[in-house]
Amino acid sequence: ALGSKADVRKPGQVLAMSDKGGSNHSDVTNFILAGFRVRPEFYVLLFLLFLLVYGMVLLGNISMMAVIVTDSQLNTPMYFFLGNLSFIDLSYSTVIAPKAMGIFLSEEKTISFGGCAGFVLAAMAYDLFSAICNPLLYSVHMSRRLCSQLVAGSYFCGWVSSTLQVSVTFSGSFCAYRVIDRFYCDSYQVEKISCSNLFVNKMVSLSLAVFIILPTIVVIVVSYVYIVSTVLKSPSTKGKKKSFSTCSSHLRVVSVLYGTVSFVYLTPPSNPELCKVSSVFYILVTSMLNPLIYSLRNKDVKQALRKILGN
């Protein structure tokens, strides 16, 4: 039976390639998450580490949303986007971290077929929302209606795009080799254990990259070229410093997000453990850092936090 204990491997142990067969996806009830290739006793330390980081993700993002909602001075487009980004960070981490922690402590490193599809759906929605919304965070001359439309459009694009790729990925046939060499479900890893022709998958991924990811990167680059050129023309040194300081938080978030994602997908397949460590930064650490980056050097947010704590 596909879900039996006899078919479950020890942490980090991957099935041999000879196990590949012609099993159709309709017969697959679960996948096996290989996790990290460490000694079993280290999984307790991994659990505690993930618990600590996830706790900070919850505290930081919930606090950020609470501050933005309760303080009228933060009722601006920038903080409206930040509140939605915190919500996405929180939701994305909550989808992945608890399941990963449960797998660390469980002898059966399995995840259901539907659960794996949900993981991939959440991951892609997070990617697309962050990519679409990040270029807009520094813009302040926008109406509330336009901001709402932009955020709604980001959610819609993320939902449609991720649903499309997940549907294509999980509509194929899967072999008897059901081990995903990650601690979470990743679309690329799921495709690696598919027995179907992946031409359509590759075309869908390429189309999403061309029509959604690439334009947002172009918007970021072009926007900052104009920003830098405008700031450098300013005669005031103080004005230059203030302008660069305003953009620095956004630049850090963009750099961390795109940097870790690029590292994950550009890491050579021969070094999967390095890719898993990078995934931790991409999945949890960025969600933890975002509220810190936008609050520690932001006087408005710090004043709002003092008001809440004082009350």
Side-chain angles (χ1 to χ4, degrees):
L2 289 173
S4 65
K5 288 187 177 181
D7 196 42
V8 177
R9 300 300 189 267
K10 294 180 180 179
Q13 183 177 345
V14 181
L15 294 175
M17 294 300 292
S18 59
D19 287 343
K20 284 192 173 185
S23 227
N24 187 270
H25 81 280
S26 60
D27 297 323
V28 175
T29 59
N30 56 42
F31 296 103
I32 300 171
L33 297 177
F36 292 91
R37 302 187 186 190
V38 296
R39 296 175 63 87
E41 53 266 28
F42 284 109
Y43 272 92
V44 176
L45 295 177
L46 285 173
F47 171 84
L48 295 175
L49 177 61
F50 269 60
L51 182 63
L52 174 64
V53 176
Y54 179 57
M56 295 181 69
V57 169
L58 291 177
L59 178 62
N61 287 286
I62 290 176
S63 299
M64 194 70 175
M65 289 188 291
V67 168
I68 292 171
V69 169
T70 57
D71 196 300
S72 58
Q73 291 184 347
L74 302 182
N75 188 20
T76 63
M78 184 181 75
Y79 293 110
F80 178 70
F81 287 121
L82 285 177
N84 280 276
L85 185 62
S86 291
F87 174 74
I88 290 292
D89 279 336
L90 182 63
S91 302
Y92 177 61
S93 300
T94 300
V95 168
I96 293 180
K99 180 62 180 179
M101 290 188 289
I103 288 173
F104 291 157
L105 297 182
S106 173
E107 291 185 4
E108 294 188 3
K109 314 295 181 183
T110 58
I111 183 171
S112 67
F113 182 89
C116 191
F119 267 63
V120 179
L121 191 66
M124 293 182 61
Y126 172 80
D127 285 344
L128 294 167
F129 178 88
S130 300
I132 294 170
C133 262
N134 266 329
L136 307 171
L137 293 179
Y138 61 82
S139 303
V140 293
H141 299 294
M142 289 185 285
S143 66
R144 186 74 176 185
R145 181 181 178 182
L146 178 58
C147 292
S148 299
Q149 290 173 341
L150 289 169
V151 168
S154 299
Y155 279 113
F156 180 74
C157 288
W159 179 78
V160 170
S161 302
S162 53
T163 300
L164 176 62
Q165 185 156 357
V166 167
S167 299
V168 171
T169 301
F170 287 89
S171 63
S173 300
F174 292 96
C175 307
Y177 181 80
R178 299 177 295 110
V179 174
I180 299 173
D181 194 19
R182 290 289 185 274
F183 59 89
Y184 66 100
C185 277
D186 176 73
S187 59
Y188 175 68
Q189 295 297 321
V190 173
E191 288 176 356
K192 286 175 67 175
I193 62 174
S194 173
C195 294
S196 302
N197 189 317
L198 299 178
F199 176 78
V200 176
N201 301 56
K202 295 182 185 299
M203 289 299 100
V204 169
S205 298
L206 180 61
S207 299
L208 293 176
V210 170
F211 291 107
I212 296 182
I213 302 300
L214 183 60
T216 59
I217 295 175
V218 171
V219 168
I220 293 174
V221 173
V222 173
S223 297
Y224 273 101
V225 168
Y226 276 99
I227 290 172
V228 171
S229 62
T230 302
V231 171
L232 291 178
K233 293 177 183 178
S234 174
S236 171
T237 304
K238 186 177 180 180
K240 291 180 182 179
K241 185 177 180 181
K242 184 177 180 180
S243 298
F244 280 123
S245 178
T246 302
C247 299
S248 62
S249 296
H250 178 245
L251 275 173
R252 288 192 188 96
V253 171
V254 171
S255 300
V256 170
L257 176 65
Y258 283 102
T260 52
V261 172
S262 300
F263 193 82
V264 167
Y265 290 102
L266 294 178
T267 301
S270 58
N271 199 343
E273 296 308 300
L274 182 60
C275 190
K276 293 175 190 177
V277 173
S278 304
S279 299
V280 174
F281 281 86
Y282 168 48
I283 293 169
L284 288 176
V285 176
T286 54
S287 298
M288 178 187 71
L289 291 179
N290 283 349
L292 295 176
I293 290 173
Y294 279 111
S295 62
L296 291 180
R297 296 189 62 186
N298 190 306
K299 292 181 180 179
D300 294 333
V301 174
K302 287 192 285 189
Q303 288 177 357
L305 279 171
R306 290 193 190 100
K307 286 182 183 178
I308 293 177
L309 294 175
N311 294 333

